[in-house]
Amino acid sequence: MKYLHIVATMDPEQLNHIFKALADPTRRRIIDRLRERPGQSLFELCAGSVAEGMPVLSRQAVTQHLDILERAGLVRVEWAGRTKLHALELEPLRTAAAQWLGQYLEEGRDG
Amino acid sequence: MKIYVTSVMVDDQAKALDFYRDKLGFQVKHDIDLGGGARWLTLTSPENPGGTELLLEPSGHPAAKPFKEALVADGIPYTSFAVDDIQAEVARLKGLGVQFTVEPMDAGAVWMAVFDDTCGNLIQIVQMKG
C-alpha cells in the first residue's frame, strides 16, 4: 500500500478521458511521435506520418485525435509565433496510472 | 492547356518582392501596374526562366486573411518549391535571416522543410529522394 500517499485527487471524469484517449492505436501513435519530437504542428505530425511505413494520418483524423488528447490533458498547446504546436503533458498520465493502475500493479507484489 | 502561372497571396507586394527576389533568388518576369496600388507581379526561377511564373498576389480580399491565418496556425504551407540540396538551401536561407518552422525532415518521397515568407505564409521546400 506504499503507493497510496502519491495518489492525487484526479476526478473520475478525467480518469475516463485519459483511459479513453489511450484506448486508440492512432492516438498512441501520436503520443509516440510527440515523445520523439515535442512541439509539432498539425502539418508536421501528418507530414511525418508519411515516412513511418504505416497508414498516413489525415489532417481531419489528427485534428480530432489531438482534441481528445487535449481534453484528457495529455497534450498541451504552445504557440510558436502564429503556429500552434503540440507537446506531451505526462503528469496526468502518471497521476492516472498511480490512481487506478497502480493499485493492481502493486497488488500481491509486496506479499 | 498549360499551367503558366501559380500564385501566393501576400500581405504586401513590395515586401514580398524583397523576400521572393532577394532572399529566395527568383527573378522578376512581369511587373505591371493594375491601378489602385496593385501590380501584376510575377517571378520565375533563374534555373527555369521560361517555366511557370509565381504571381505575388495581393491578399486584400476579406476572406484571405482568416484563410491564411488558419493555414499558418496548423503549420500548413501555402505552396512548395523544389531544391536540389535541401541542407545547403536551408543553410543559405538561414544565413539571410529566414525563419524556419520545420527543420529538414523525412516526408516519405521527399525531404522537406518549411519557412515563413514574412508575408503571411508558410512555404515548403522539398528535395526529391533518389
Side-chain angles (χ1 to χ4, degrees), chain A residues 10-27:
Chain A
M10 177 173 278
D11 70 76
E13 200 169 340
Q14 198 190 353
L15 207 59
N16 293 345
H17 283 319
I18 287 174
F19 286 116
K20 187 188 166 199
L22 296 175
D24 181 278
T26 304
R27 287 196 286 276

Side-chain angles (χ1 to χ4, degrees), chain A residues 47-69:
Chain A
S49 77
V50 179
E52 286 166 13
M54 285 189 267
V56 174
L57 303 176
S58 75
R59 283 174 193 159
Q60 289 85 346
V62 174
T63 299
Q64 287 172 5
H65 288 311
L66 285 172
D67 282 347
I68 290 167
L69 288 166

Side-chain angles (χ1 to χ4, degrees), chain A residues 37 42-43 47-48 51 82-84, chain B residues 72-75 77 105 112 124:
Chain A
R37 199 152 58 155
L42 173 64
F43 170 78
R82 295 167 299 123
T83 300
K84 190 179 176 185
Chain B
V72 172
D74 283 338
M105 64 176 277
M112 70 105 172
Q124 182 182 54

